[in-house]
Tab-separated table of all heavy atoms in Angstrom:
chain	number	residue	atom	x	y	z
G	200	ALA	N	79.524	177.767	94.029
G	200	ALA	CA	79.835	178.994	94.775
G	200	ALA	C	80.125	180.124	93.868
G	200	ALA	O	79.584	181.253	93.937
G	200	ALA	CB	81.018	178.766	95.736
G	204	GLY	N	77.857	183.409	93.187
G	204	GLY	CA	78.454	184.620	93.517
G	204	GLY	C	78.460	185.580	92.358
G	204	GLY	O	78.110	186.789	92.481
G	205	GLU	N	78.835	185.082	91.157
G	205	GLU	CA	78.744	185.951	90.005
G	205	GLU	C	77.369	186.434	89.677
G	205	GLU	O	77.198	187.564	89.197
G	205	GLU	CB	79.378	185.157	88.813
G	205	GLU	CG	80.887	184.946	88.906
G	205	GLU	CD	81.643	186.273	89.074
G	205	GLU	OE1	81.390	187.205	88.256
G	205	GLU	OE2	82.534	186.388	89.979
G	207	LEU	N	74.958	187.052	91.868
G	207	LEU	CA	74.714	188.113	92.823
G	207	LEU	C	75.340	189.427	92.369
G	207	LEU	O	74.740	190.486	92.391
G	207	LEU	CB	75.235	187.711	94.195
G	207	LEU	CG	74.309	186.871	95.101
G	207	LEU	CD1	75.033	186.570	96.424
G	207	LEU	CD2	72.985	187.548	95.393
G	208	LEU	N	76.613	189.310	91.956
G	208	LEU	CA	77.301	190.546	91.448
G	208	LEU	C	76.617	191.162	90.225
G	208	LEU	O	76.500	192.380	90.175
G	208	LEU	CB	78.800	190.210	91.111
G	208	LEU	CG	79.614	189.658	92.274
G	208	LEU	CD1	80.998	189.210	91.781
G	208	LEU	CD2	79.863	190.791	93.360
G	240	ALA	N	71.514	189.231	102.000
G	240	ALA	CA	72.253	189.144	100.781
G	240	ALA	C	73.554	190.040	100.899
G	240	ALA	O	74.586	189.727	100.315
G	240	ALA	CB	71.414	189.631	99.583
G	241	THR	N	73.415	191.177	101.528
G	241	THR	CA	74.630	192.032	101.799
G	241	THR	C	75.698	191.228	102.531
G	241	THR	O	76.884	191.235	102.164
G	241	THR	CB	74.245	193.219	102.626
G	241	THR	OG1	73.233	193.996	101.954
G	241	THR	CG2	75.471	194.180	102.838
G	242	LEU	N	75.243	190.521	103.616
G	242	LEU	CA	76.213	189.708	104.403
G	242	LEU	C	76.801	188.659	103.471
G	242	LEU	O	78.001	188.399	103.557
G	242	LEU	CB	75.471	189.091	105.573
G	242	LEU	CG	76.296	188.133	106.430
G	242	LEU	CD1	77.542	188.882	107.072
G	242	LEU	CD2	75.447	187.469	107.528
G	243	CYS	N	76.003	188.065	102.649
G	243	CYS	CA	76.473	187.021	101.719
G	243	CYS	C	77.543	187.615	100.739
G	243	CYS	O	78.577	187.021	100.499
G	243	CYS	CB	75.330	186.445	100.961
G	243	CYS	SG	75.804	185.112	99.858
G	244	LEU	N	77.281	188.864	100.166
G	244	LEU	CA	78.212	189.474	99.310
G	244	LEU	C	79.506	189.744	99.986
G	244	LEU	O	80.630	189.561	99.402
G	244	LEU	CB	77.626	190.797	98.770
G	244	LEU	CG	76.670	190.669	97.618
G	244	LEU	CD1	76.016	192.045	97.293
G	244	LEU	CD2	77.382	190.179	96.385
G	245	ILE	N	79.475	190.179	101.238
G	245	ILE	CA	80.729	190.451	101.973
G	245	ILE	C	81.503	189.128	102.183
G	245	ILE	O	82.734	189.151	101.980
G	245	ILE	CB	80.353	191.095	103.355
G	245	ILE	CG1	79.809	192.516	103.150
G	245	ILE	CG2	81.592	191.164	104.269
G	245	ILE	CD1	79.264	193.161	104.351
G	246	ARG	N	80.824	188.130	102.534
G	246	ARG	CA	81.534	186.822	102.696
G	246	ARG	C	82.111	186.325	101.368
G	246	ARG	O	83.158	185.763	101.336
G	246	ARG	CB	80.590	185.822	103.322
G	246	ARG	CG	80.192	186.136	104.802
G	246	ARG	CD	79.304	185.121	105.404
G	246	ARG	NE	78.986	185.395	106.771
G	246	ARG	CZ	78.161	184.675	107.598
G	246	ARG	NH1	77.560	183.610	107.100
G	246	ARG	NH2	77.973	185.037	108.822
G	247	TYR	N	81.313	186.516	100.367
G	247	TYR	CA	81.787	186.056	99.014
G	247	TYR	C	83.033	186.848	98.617
G	247	TYR	O	84.033	186.367	98.047
G	247	TYR	CB	80.673	186.170	97.990
G	247	TYR	CG	81.119	185.722	96.605
G	247	TYR	CD1	81.372	184.396	96.350
G	247	TYR	CD2	81.346	186.629	95.522
G	247	TYR	CE1	81.711	183.905	95.120
G	247	TYR	CE2	81.725	186.170	94.308
G	247	TYR	CZ	81.909	184.803	94.076
G	247	TYR	OH	82.360	184.415	92.851
G	248	ALA	N	82.986	188.204	98.858
G	248	ALA	CA	84.219	189.034	98.528
G	248	ALA	C	85.412	188.616	99.250
G	248	ALA	O	86.509	188.586	98.727
G	248	ALA	CB	83.829	190.484	98.754
G	249	LYS	N	85.253	188.221	100.521
G	249	LYS	CA	86.363	187.762	101.327
G	249	LYS	C	86.904	186.422	100.734
G	249	LYS	O	88.096	186.162	100.700
G	249	LYS	CB	85.938	187.548	102.758
G	249	LYS	CG	85.731	188.829	103.561
G	249	LYS	CD	85.329	188.483	104.992
G	249	LYS	CE	85.122	189.667	105.835
G	249	LYS	NZ	84.784	189.254	107.269
G	250	PHE	N	85.953	185.592	100.321
G	250	PHE	CA	86.292	184.306	99.745
G	250	PHE	C	87.122	184.472	98.403
G	250	PHE	O	88.128	183.778	98.239
G	250	PHE	CB	85.024	183.509	99.487
G	250	PHE	CG	85.237	182.188	98.765
G	250	PHE	CD1	85.837	181.102	99.404
G	250	PHE	CD2	84.855	182.035	97.420
G	250	PHE	CE1	86.043	179.942	98.710
G	250	PHE	CE2	85.083	180.835	96.733
G	250	PHE	CZ	85.644	179.789	97.403
G	251	THR	N	86.705	185.353	97.563
G	251	THR	CA	87.398	185.530	96.288
G	251	THR	C	88.658	186.388	96.423
G	251	THR	O	89.628	186.284	95.641
G	251	THR	CB	86.499	186.144	95.192
G	251	THR	OG1	86.121	187.493	95.676
G	251	THR	CG2	85.273	185.306	94.968
G	252	GLY	N	88.631	187.279	97.454
G	252	GLY	CA	89.725	188.156	97.615
G	252	GLY	C	89.863	189.297	96.576
G	252	GLY	O	90.881	189.923	96.462
G	253	GLN	N	88.739	189.495	95.854
G	253	GLN	CA	88.806	190.502	94.778
G	253	GLN	C	88.316	191.845	95.335
G	253	GLN	O	87.092	191.932	95.799
G	253	GLN	CB	87.830	189.993	93.630
G	253	GLN	CG	88.250	188.709	92.946
G	253	GLN	CD	89.500	188.949	92.180
G	253	GLN	OE1	89.773	189.976	91.537
G	253	GLN	NE2	90.429	187.927	92.235
G	254	PRO	N	89.131	192.867	95.243
G	254	PRO	CA	88.662	194.275	95.644
G	254	PRO	C	87.407	194.718	94.991
G	254	PRO	O	86.634	195.366	95.627
G	254	PRO	CB	89.892	195.071	95.311
G	254	PRO	CG	91.045	194.180	95.206
G	254	PRO	CD	90.534	192.855	94.741
G	255	ALA	N	87.264	194.376	93.687
G	255	ALA	CA	86.023	194.823	93.001
G	255	ALA	C	84.785	194.177	93.607
G	255	ALA	O	83.720	194.856	93.672
G	255	ALA	CB	86.114	194.452	91.475
G	256	HIS	N	84.928	192.952	94.098
G	256	HIS	CA	83.772	192.302	94.736
G	256	HIS	C	83.440	192.979	96.044
G	256	HIS	O	82.231	193.196	96.345
G	256	HIS	CB	84.036	190.836	94.964
G	256	HIS	CG	84.242	190.080	93.630
G	256	HIS	ND1	84.619	188.732	93.641
G	256	HIS	CD2	84.005	190.417	92.357
G	256	HIS	CE1	84.666	188.384	92.379
G	256	HIS	NE2	84.327	189.377	91.643
G	257	LEU	N	84.454	193.354	96.816
G	257	LEU	CA	84.165	194.016	98.059
G	257	LEU	C	83.599	195.441	97.814
G	257	LEU	O	82.760	195.852	98.542
G	257	LEU	CB	85.462	194.139	98.898
G	257	LEU	CG	85.287	194.781	100.317
G	257	LEU	CD1	84.367	193.926	101.132
G	257	LEU	CD2	86.690	194.894	100.957
G	258	ALA	N	84.060	196.082	96.825
G	258	ALA	CA	83.528	197.418	96.497
G	258	ALA	C	82.067	197.331	96.168
G	258	ALA	O	81.275	198.178	96.611
G	258	ALA	CB	84.283	197.994	95.347
G	259	LEU	N	81.665	196.279	95.459
G	259	LEU	CA	80.245	196.145	95.115
G	259	LEU	C	79.433	195.741	96.362
G	259	LEU	O	78.300	196.272	96.587
G	259	LEU	CB	80.092	195.033	94.040
G	259	LEU	CG	78.748	194.991	93.329
G	259	LEU	CD1	78.949	194.622	91.878
G	259	LEU	CD2	77.836	194.035	93.984
G	260	ALA	N	79.971	194.913	97.213
G	260	ALA	CA	79.292	194.589	98.432
G	260	ALA	C	79.145	195.851	99.321
G	260	ALA	O	78.081	195.995	99.969
G	260	ALA	CB	80.140	193.538	99.232
G	261	ASP	N	80.142	196.702	99.268
G	261	ASP	CA	80.086	197.950	100.098
G	261	ASP	C	78.971	198.848	99.488
G	261	ASP	O	78.199	199.477	100.257
G	261	ASP	CB	81.440	198.672	100.022
G	261	ASP	CG	81.512	199.823	100.923
G	261	ASP	OD1	81.442	199.642	102.127
G	261	ASP	OD2	81.660	201.004	100.429
G	291	GLU	N	81.332	192.231	109.939
G	291	GLU	CA	82.111	191.315	109.098
G	291	GLU	C	82.746	192.052	107.947
G	291	GLU	O	83.569	191.515	107.195
G	291	GLU	CB	81.190	190.187	108.549
G	291	GLU	CG	80.754	189.249	109.622
G	291	GLU	CD	80.260	187.887	109.133
G	291	GLU	OE1	80.578	187.584	107.937
G	291	GLU	OE2	79.629	187.172	109.877
G	292	HIS	N	82.368	193.328	107.731
G	292	HIS	CA	82.931	194.113	106.647
G	292	HIS	C	84.382	194.479	107.037
G	292	HIS	O	84.666	194.897	108.152
G	292	HIS	CB	82.144	195.399	106.480
G	292	HIS	CG	82.474	196.132	105.215
G	292	HIS	ND1	83.679	196.743	105.036
G	292	HIS	CD2	81.722	196.510	104.200
G	292	HIS	CE1	83.690	197.397	103.858
G	292	HIS	NE2	82.514	197.265	103.297
G	293	PRO	N	85.308	194.221	106.097
G	293	PRO	CA	86.773	194.480	106.475
G	293	PRO	C	87.023	195.999	106.817
G	293	PRO	O	87.969	196.243	107.535
G	293	PRO	CB	87.487	194.196	105.143
G	293	PRO	CG	86.595	193.215	104.446
G	293	PRO	CD	85.147	193.638	104.792
G	521	LEU	N	74.425	179.825	98.938
G	521	LEU	CA	75.789	180.325	98.834
G	521	LEU	C	76.594	180.376	100.155
G	521	LEU	O	77.758	179.999	100.306
G	521	LEU	CB	75.922	181.614	98.048
G	521	LEU	CG	77.290	182.210	97.817
G	521	LEU	CD1	78.243	181.228	97.258
G	521	LEU	CD2	77.156	183.476	96.988
G	525	LEU	N	79.998	178.512	101.153
G	525	LEU	CA	81.201	179.239	101.564
G	525	LEU	C	81.733	178.654	102.869
G	525	LEU	O	82.951	178.626	103.113
G	525	LEU	CB	80.877	180.707	101.635
G	525	LEU	CG	80.590	181.460	100.352
G	525	LEU	CD1	80.285	182.898	100.641
G	525	LEU	CD2	81.790	181.328	99.375
G	529	HIS	N	85.669	176.206	103.710
G	529	HIS	CA	86.660	176.455	104.814
G	529	HIS	C	86.839	175.121	105.616
G	529	HIS	O	87.553	175.175	106.620
G	529	HIS	CB	86.213	177.616	105.680
G	529	HIS	CG	86.247	178.910	104.965
G	529	HIS	ND1	87.382	179.518	104.539
G	529	HIS	CD2	85.282	179.806	104.707
G	529	HIS	CE1	87.092	180.660	103.970
G	529	HIS	NE2	85.787	180.871	104.083
Side-chain angles (χ1 to χ4, degrees):
E205 290 302 312
L207 278 176
L208 296 172
T241 301
L242 178 61
C243 183
L244 277 173
I245 291 170
R246 291 180 178 179
Y247 182 71
K249 288 181 177 180
F250 174 73
T251 64
Q253 296 293 321
H256 295 172
L257 183 59
L259 195 146
D261 189 65
E291 294 198 16
H292 192 297
L521 178 53
L525 292 177
H529 295 295

